[in-house]
Structures are given as C-alpha cells and as structure tokens.
Amino acid sequence: MCLTVVFLFFLFCFEICIAKIDGGSRTEAEEKVYSWLYALAQTQRDMAFEYVRSTERGLSFNEAERRLRENGPNVPLEYTFPRWWHFLWTASFHPFNMILIFFSALSYITSDSPNGCIMLILVLISVCLRFYMEYSSSKAAMKLSEFVKSPVKVQRCAGRVIQTELIVQVDQRDIVPGDIIIFEPGDLFPGDVRLLSSKHLVVSQSSLTGESWTAEKSADIREDQSTPLLELKNICFMGTNVVSGSGTGLVVSTGSKTYMSTMFSNIGKQKPPDGFEKGIRRISLVLICVMLIVATIITLIAYFTSHQASDSIIFGISVACALTPQMFPLIVNTSLAKGALAMARDRCVVKSLTAIRDMGSMDILCIDKTGTLTMDRAILVNHLDSWGIPKEKVLHFAFLNSYYKTDQKYPLDDAILAYVYTNGYKFQASKWKKIHEIPFDFIRRKVSVIMETESNKEDKKSFQFHGRFMVTKGALEEVIKVCSFVEHIDTGSLITLSSEEQLRILNLGEQVSNEGLRCIGVAIKRLQTKNINQSMDSEETVESDMVFLGLITFYDPPKDSAKQALWRLAEKGVTAKVLTGDSLSLAIKICQEVGIRTTHVTTGPDLELLDQDSFHETVKKTTVMARLTPTQKLRVVQSLQIVGRHVVGFLGDGINDTLALDAANVGISVDSGASVAKDFADIILLEKDLNVLVAGVEQGRLTFGNTMKYIKMSVVANIGVVLSLLVATIFLGNEPLSPKQLLVQNFLYSVGQIAIPWDKMEEDYVKTPQIWSEKGLPMFILWNSPVCTLCDLSALLFLWYYYTESLDFFRSAWFVEGLLMQTLIIHLIRTEKIPFVQEVASWPVLCSTVVISAIGIAIPFTAIGDFMGFTSLPLTYFGFLVLLFLGYFTVGQVVKRIYILVYKKWL
C-alpha cells in the first residue's frame, strides 16, 4: 500500500525552518496534540465517541461530507510537483546569465547588435541545457515516486428513518474525525486512531521511531499519563501500519492535527548555504566592480583620444564583455549534464544537477544499515542446544514447525526451510501429520504446531520420532516461560528447568545477540491422544511443561560489495558513519564485517542525555549510532554540517530517513524506498549498491575539477587581457583592437572552451574531497593574472619597436597573440605538472586548441580578415610568438611551482 499520508506529511516539514540544531521544548501545537491523545487514551472506549461527536454506528454520509468541508482533505499539506516554469526560472537566473543579458541589452542600445546577439545565444544554450536536464530528471523521479489512491474501509450509516450500518471504501484523503475504520494486516492508519476492538494487533511504528521492532496494541486497556506517548497501547498513529492482527478504530485526528504532523513542527529543510554558489556570487560581484571601473576608464581614454562617444562606449562595453566569463553557465551546466548522463549509465536518477558537484565535495557519508550494508534477509547460522552446542534435533523440530505452520509465513520460517533443503538434511516431513496449530501472535510471541507420526518398530525406541508432539518456537524468553524440563548435557536425560538453568539459557541468548545474531527458542512436548481430543480453548494449559531443546540463530549478512565499496570511499577521503534505528549490538556486528571502525559507538537515548557541546563532540568522533529516531538523525546531519563544517551525504530509503535526506547536502535514496524518501532525495539509485556511489564521487570530483579549471582559467585570462587592453590603450593613445575585432576574438576563445567538460583530471585530484575555498580564487588570480599581462605587454613592446607599420598591422598581430594566449592558457592552468611534457590534455581539448588557434592565425590572411580591418602577418612574427609562448609557459610554470609550495595545492 502506498504511504500517501506519510508522503504528504513530510512536505509540511519542507516549509518550516529550525532556529537551532538541538530543537527545544514542545510547541503549542504539539502540546495540544499530546493532551488530546492522552485524554483519549485514558478514557473508556465508549466515552471516546463523545470526544469526537460520533456514534458506534459511525458517521452518516452527510455528516462526513460536512466535516470534510470543514476540516479539508486529510493531508498535512497539499503537494504538487515543481512545474516546468520553476526549472526554467532556476536555470535562467544565474549571476553570469544576468550579467550577459545586461551587456547584451547595452550592446543593442549602442547599435552593437552582433555582440548582443552572440551573448544572448550563449545564455539561451546554457538555460536550455540546464532546463532540459533537470526537467527530464524530475519527470523520471516523478514516475518512480508516483503513488495511487489509498482506500480505507470505513463504517458509515445511511437511512432517513432506519439507519443501516455500511462498510464502504473511502480514499484516505476523505477520512474525517469520527470515522470508524476497519483494518487488517498491511493497512496504513490514515489518522490518529483510538482503538475500539483488536485481535492480536501488532503495529510497525518505524516511521516514527526508526526502529525495526513492532509494537503490540490493544483496545481493552486504559492508559495513564505516565506511559510514553508512543507506547500507548490503545492509540495508533497516522502513518504507521498493521503488521498482523485486525480490529476497528475511531479516527480522532486527521491532517495537520495528527501527532505525526506536529512531532517535527520545529524542524524543516535547512541545508547550509552551498559554498560553491556562494563563492560564484562573490566572484560575480567582484567582476562587476572591476568591470565597471576598467570599462569606465577605457571608455574615457578612448573618448579623449578619438572624441567619438558612440564608438568609445561600444569599445568599453566590448572590454566589459571580455572580462565576463561568458561561457561559465554553459560550461557548468554541460559538466553537470555530462555527469548526470554518466551516472544514468550506472543506473542513477539525478534529480538535482548540483548534487553531482556536491558529491565531489562530500567527505562524510551517513548510511542506514538495513538493506544498504546488509542483504535485508535472514540466513540461518546455527542450531544450538541449551548448552550452546550444535545439535541436529533442534533444527529437526524447528523445521517441522515451520513446514507445517499455515497461519502466516515469516522470513525466519523461509530461512529455516532454505537451510534444511540446501544442506541436504532428510527430515522426511511427509511421515508426519499435522493435527492442530496455535498461531503466532505478538502477545504470546510464539507459534505451536501439534503433529504425529505413525508408530513403527524402528522409531519406538527414539523419543523424537514416535508418537504425537507439540513443537513450539518463538521469542526465547517466551518459550522458556512454558518449559519445565531441559536435556542434561552429558546423559541426555530430562532434568528440571530450574531458575539457574533459565538464567544460563537467557545469558546464552544475550551472548548470541551481542554477536549481532537474532535467536529464537525451540521446545517440544509429548502429548497423549486424549489430550488432543479435548478443547483447545486454553492455550496456556496446552503450552506448558514443555522440554526446552535449544536455539536457532539467524543473521542478516552484509553485502559482498559493501566492504569493497566502503574501502574505496575511504581511499577517496569519504568517512562512513552508520545511523540506524536498530540495536547497537547488531549494528556493531555488521560494521565489523564491512570494515567500519567501532571504537566509538553510541545510541539515541545516550545522545539525548548530552548537552549541546558534548553532543557535537560525540557526533564528531562516533562512527556507529544506533537506536536513533528521525529527529536524532536530522540533528546528527546538521551537527556535522554546521559545527563540523563537513559536506554530508545521507543514504536512506525509509520514511524515518526523510528528514535527514532533506537536510543533507546530498540526499540519496533507492527506487524501492518509500515514496517520501525518494521525493526528498537528490539522487535515486536503481540498485542498492555502494559502488555506484563511488562512481558518483569520482564523477562529482571530475565535474568540480573541470568547473574550477574553467573559472580560474577564464577569470585569470580575462583580467590579464583587460589589464593589457588598459595599458595598451594608454600607451598607444588608441584602441588596440576595434570593438568588432575584440568581439570576434572573445567569441572564438569562448567557443574553444566548450571542450573543457570533456577534459580528464589527474588521479591525485579525485582522491580527496574538493571544497570551494573562499580565499583560494582571489589569491590564484593575484598570482597568475600578471603572467598573462606580462605576455601581452611583451608582445606590445616587440610590435612597438620592431614593427612600426600601420594601426591595422598592430591590431592584426595583437589579435592573433591575444587569441593564442587565451587558448593555450587552459593547458597551463589544468595541471600541476609541465603541460605537453608531463601531462597532456584529453583529445577534445587538444582538438579544440588546434582548431581555434588555426582559425585565429588564418583570419588575417582571408577575406574575413579584410572585412574586419586586418592585414597579413610576416612569418618572422610567428617565430617571435613561438619564443614568446615558450617564455610564457616557463614563467607560468615557475609561478605555479611557487604557488603550490606556498598554498599546497593548485586547482
């Protein structure tokens, strides 16, 4: 059944922010819910109808419709998926997009239409690419998280004179307070419910507690104020589901007035600011300031030398455009889209493209245990007698019990049968005949099967193969309660099960549990034929004076791939922390199997006792945290982010993981997870395999690295070129390049950068998490921009002293030198090593460099060059350029080595 109610509830959390990590006292809304539920839990069953103004027959259809209009649909908050225009808006309003649109408008105003058109085309390509990728990913995710209507059986009454009780199917959205619901195994409670009747009712509350254990519920109980809210046995909560049993209940709260809607009312989506986006905004502001200053100075200089206002303004705008990393949105979105396609090949749905980049920065991965590290299934490990010695007879009778029970089959039964069949045991179940069954329920916590085998001469001497027996298996402590005898370890004879023997067996069970195994007890009782002919009304009488045989132990094994994947993540600087609602001993066992350190472990209840500082310190050093509630998982994630300054990923697939998924920098779920978990995740895995995450981390770091290459290279080159233009304008007393020539140079340079997303990264770079440094980029610019300016000024001086031809010749030479310098700088910036010698770029980047350089060199010799005002250049000038760029790379490499010595990193 689809968890529609829970899915919609968590959207309520999306809208609310918290003021501090540690929460605080309950809100007024929470207090109202607590008081209301405790009042109903303490009252008699019949009086509960008075509280909600209902009757034992249920509500009439007219009254239910009136209450639905009054209270609204039974959802905490109506949810709609983001519309197409939301993605378009996000893709469009990027800082650099806005700068390009602004200068495009200025270009049109000053009649520089080609420049304005080119900038608009760049913006359009960038916006369309990001919009297409994110909208397509969103639609794919919507298909995964699509939910159907969830019908609920409701008792309503109809008739004007004589009212008739009817059982009808009503969608959970139309449930109102006062409705009487009928529920069976698998049903979801559509609201907070006061039980009216129950039969062996067991409910899973993992959506509230995160624990895999179940809770017993009963209608025939009146609670008191001292009972913890989630332990109230006559109250069932919205979003929890029926595991076994059946019953009826009175809906007392729906929608936003339920416990589940208010338990997290002080929590919500509070992801820390994205360091990358924050840094980009700051760089944008810096570039705008530099742009305004330099463009104004150059415009004034051009005006005072030429006295042409319009031409001077156009040239100033062209210089400002040259300072803008025009391809930034396109390069970033192309890199992210390329990463999304690569992850799609690894069977991942990427809902948020920026999550790929965050994967590259992630240094802590929080994971739930079940189904992520383990195979999420039970495997039989051993069959032990009461002394902890393996004994086949224990397995034999446990097998017969599982083979003949028919009421409900559980995973443990399947594990017992599979173990017997696959290990070649021949227990000959066909020789037995089932007589009766006392079914399992979560109050007795055991199941008994009575069977017999025909007497024969060979088996009469053997106790276990002759006559009629009752075989019981279930929770160890419950099985021991009905046992009076146990076999002696040496003689095999029956001895009385004393209190000392009971304690010894319970200690054995605890020892098994501490090893991370689950155990159940097995007992038998030989019956006389006449005992079975009597009524089976008294289960306590029949299930008594039994012989305790031993224990069956089970294990949820770790995945074969988990240990290797965690080791690969650790190699790449990603620390794994386990956050689970299961028991600590089981979590420790699994973590030891997969290689996660367990020297520092804790539990949710222990964390609750800590003050704020101790909490943060414990979270920092602890690797395994068990018995955590959804709120505690959220607090752990936020503590790591805000206090620890880590980039945190969270992998979870349950409803109880949703708050942590929402808060994490990278929320990761699986397509088999709960709908709400998938909706709040940034990445959805189509396979539960941690190796996919390793590939995602590598792809994220490749995306981050190529993005940083472009940012650093383009900003360094652009600032260096603009400073050169400023000096050249002052030195020449004229524009070193016309606006048209500067536009073409900038356009060719920008086109050549499109290949950067297809570049490779050095192995050392992808081995460590990559995080945006606020001080890194400014210092990088200060160190490297002067190298570009030095190269341009060297060309300026050479042209001034050795070529004194016309201004057209100077502009032609300056155009070629500037374009080659901006094209080749990517090879200097992209690696710590010596370019073309120790490290060579990928073939797309090499091809791009060759093609753009060839076009730039060829233009002055073509008709296009004549149209642009260029003249042909002598071969001696190209000889000078070879020497110039050898010097440029030499100086640049020296500056690079000094920079690395000072700051210990390059990109």
Side-chain angles (χ1 to χ4, degrees), residues 768-781:
T768 55
Q770 302 299 327
I771 301 174
W772 176 278
S773 173
E774 294 183 3
K775 297 181 180 179
L777 186 56
M779 296 309 299
F780 193 91
I781 294 169

Side-chain angles (χ1 to χ4, degrees), residues 83-146:
R83 304 297 295 273
W84 64 268
W85 54 263
H86 173 81
F87 294 102
L88 185 59
W89 178 276
T90 303
S92 300
F93 286 90
H94 187 282
F96 284 119
N97 279 343
M98 303 309 297
I99 293 172
L100 290 177
I101 292 172
F102 173 74
F103 282 117
S104 175
L106 285 181
S107 298
Y108 279 108
I109 291 172
T110 56
S111 302
D112 188 13
S113 300
N115 198 359
C117 184
I118 289 172
M119 285 187 282
L120 285 181
I121 290 173
L122 292 175
V123 172
L124 182 64
I125 293 173
S126 172
V127 169
C128 289
L129 181 63
R130 179 162 186 171
F131 169 75
Y132 172 76
M133 293 302 300
E134 291 203 337
Y135 185 57
S136 299
S137 297
S138 177
K139 288 201 297 185
M142 284 165 59
K143 289 180 181 178
L144 289 175
S145 59
E146 233 171 23

Side-chain angles (χ1 to χ4, degrees), residues 673-692:
S675 294
V676 64
K678 291 184 289 186
D679 287 314
F680 277 82
D682 301 306
I683 296 173
I684 300 174
L685 307 182
L686 301 183
E687 294 180 2
K688 279 187 176 182
D689 188 351
L690 287 176
N691 283 297
V692 176

Side-chain angles (χ1 to χ4, degrees), residues 340-356:
L341 292 173
M343 293 191 70
R345 288 193 292 271
D346 289 326
R347 295 180 57 76
C348 291
V349 175
V350 180
K351 292 171 59 182
S352 172
L353 291 182
T354 56
I356 299 173

Side-chain angles (χ1 to χ4, degrees), residues 336-397:
L336 294 176
K338 179 176 172 289
L341 292 173
M343 293 191 70
R345 288 193 292 271
D346 289 326
R347 295 180 57 76
C348 291
V349 175
V350 180
K351 292 171 59 182
S352 172
L353 291 182
T354 56
I356 299 173
R357 187 181 62 231
D358 290 335
M359 286 277 280
S361 302
M362 180 178 71
D363 59 343
I364 288 184
L365 176 64
C366 299
I367 52 182
D368 193 7
K369 174 189 66 63
T370 305
T372 303
L373 299 179
T374 67
M375 301 176 71
D376 200 13
R377 62 186 177 91
I379 292 179
L380 193 150
V381 177
N382 218 330
H383 37 91
L384 310 173
D385 66 8
S386 62
W387 298 89
I389 301 172
K391 186 164 290 188
E392 186 175 302
K393 184 165 72 171
V394 181
L395 178 64
H396 188 171
F397 282 100

Side-chain angles (χ1 to χ4, degrees), residues 228-289:
L229 186 70
L230 293 180
E231 295 179 17
L232 295 174
K233 292 188 177 297
N234 57 5
I235 298 291
C236 294
F237 301 93
M238 181 184 190
T240 62
N241 62 285
V242 180
V243 175
S244 65
S246 58
T248 61
L250 179 66
V251 178
V252 297
S253 301
T254 59
S256 60
K257 296 181 180 178
T258 58
Y259 167 72
M260 199 168 194
S261 298
T262 57
M263 66 179 291
F264 298 128
S265 60
N266 62 333
I267 309 171
K269 189 166 186 176
Q270 193 196 28
K271 291 190 179 184
D274 188 317
F276 186 89
E277 294 295 337
K278 205 160 125 191
I280 291 302
R281 289 191 181 93
R282 288 179 178 174
I283 289 298
S284 301
L285 292 173
V286 171
L287 285 179
I288 289 172
C289 293

Side-chain angles (χ1 to χ4, degrees), residues 173-188:
R173 292 171 56 90
D174 299 329
I175 296 295
V176 296
D179 270 330
I180 297 175
I181 62 170
I182 298 94
F183 47 83
E184 298 171 342
D187 287 345
L188 185 78

Side-chain angles (χ1 to χ4, degrees), residues 373-562:
L373 299 179
T374 67
M375 301 176 71
D376 200 13
R377 62 186 177 91
I379 292 179
L380 193 150
V381 177
N382 218 330
H383 37 91
L384 310 173
D385 66 8
S386 62
W387 298 89
I389 301 172
K391 186 164 290 188
E392 186 175 302
K393 184 165 72 171
V394 181
L395 178 64
H396 188 171
F397 282 100
F399 165 78
L400 292 175
N401 179 287
S402 296
Y403 185 88
Y404 279 107
K405 65 173 288 195
T406 56
D407 182 60
Q408 280 183 316
K409 290 287 187 183
Y410 288 97
L412 298 186
D413 295 307
D414 295 333
I416 292 171
L417 298 177
Y419 184 86
V420 170
Y421 293 143
T422 57
N423 287 277
Y425 290 98
K426 300 182 184 294
F427 290 146
Q428 298 179 317
S430 58
K431 288 190 175 182
W432 294 83
K433 181 175 70 173
K434 179 180 176 181
I435 305 299
H436 188 76
E437 177 179 349
I438 305 175
F440 178 89
D441 66 66
F442 282 84
I443 297 176
R444 295 171 50 255
R445 295 200 294 167
K446 54 184 177 289
V447 56
S448 296
V449 177
I450 298 173
M451 50 198 167
E452 67 177 0
T453 184
E454 296 296 331
S455 302
N456 57 64
K457 292 181 180 180
E458 295 180 2
D459 290 342
K460 280 184 179 180
K461 297 179 181 179
S462 177
F463 174 80
Q464 67 268 35
F465 294 112
H466 171 61
R468 183 172 289 180
F469 296 93
M470 178 171 68
V471 183
T472 299
K473 81 174 191 303
L476 180 60
E477 57 272 23
E478 298 299 329
V479 171
I480 288 179
K481 287 179 183 177
V482 299
C483 292
S484 300
F485 307 97
V486 66
E487 290 187 357
H488 193 276
I489 185 173
D490 296 322
T491 64
S493 59
L494 298 182
I495 60 174
T496 302
L497 183 64
S498 63
S499 57
E500 289 79 8
E501 290 292 323
Q502 289 185 13
L503 181 60
R504 179 179 59 77
I505 294 171
L506 289 174
N507 288 337
L508 175 62
E510 185 176 352
Q511 180 182 344
V512 168
S513 297
N514 290 337
E515 293 175 358
L517 303 178
R518 184 177 178 183
C519 66
I520 60 173
V522 181
I524 62 172
K525 179 180 181 180
R526 187 172 184 178
L527 301 174
Q528 300 297 325
T529 304
K530 63 180 181 179
N531 291 349
I532 304 306
N533 293 332
Q534 68 184 12
S535 172
M536 297 296 296
D537 290 340
S538 177
E539 296 173 352
E540 293 183 2
T541 302
V542 178
E543 291 178 330
S544 61
D545 296 327
M546 302 190 71
V547 178
F548 182 80
L549 288 186
L551 298 81
I552 305 290
T553 62
F554 302 89
Y555 183 43
D556 184 4
K559 291 182 177 178
D560 295 334
S561 61

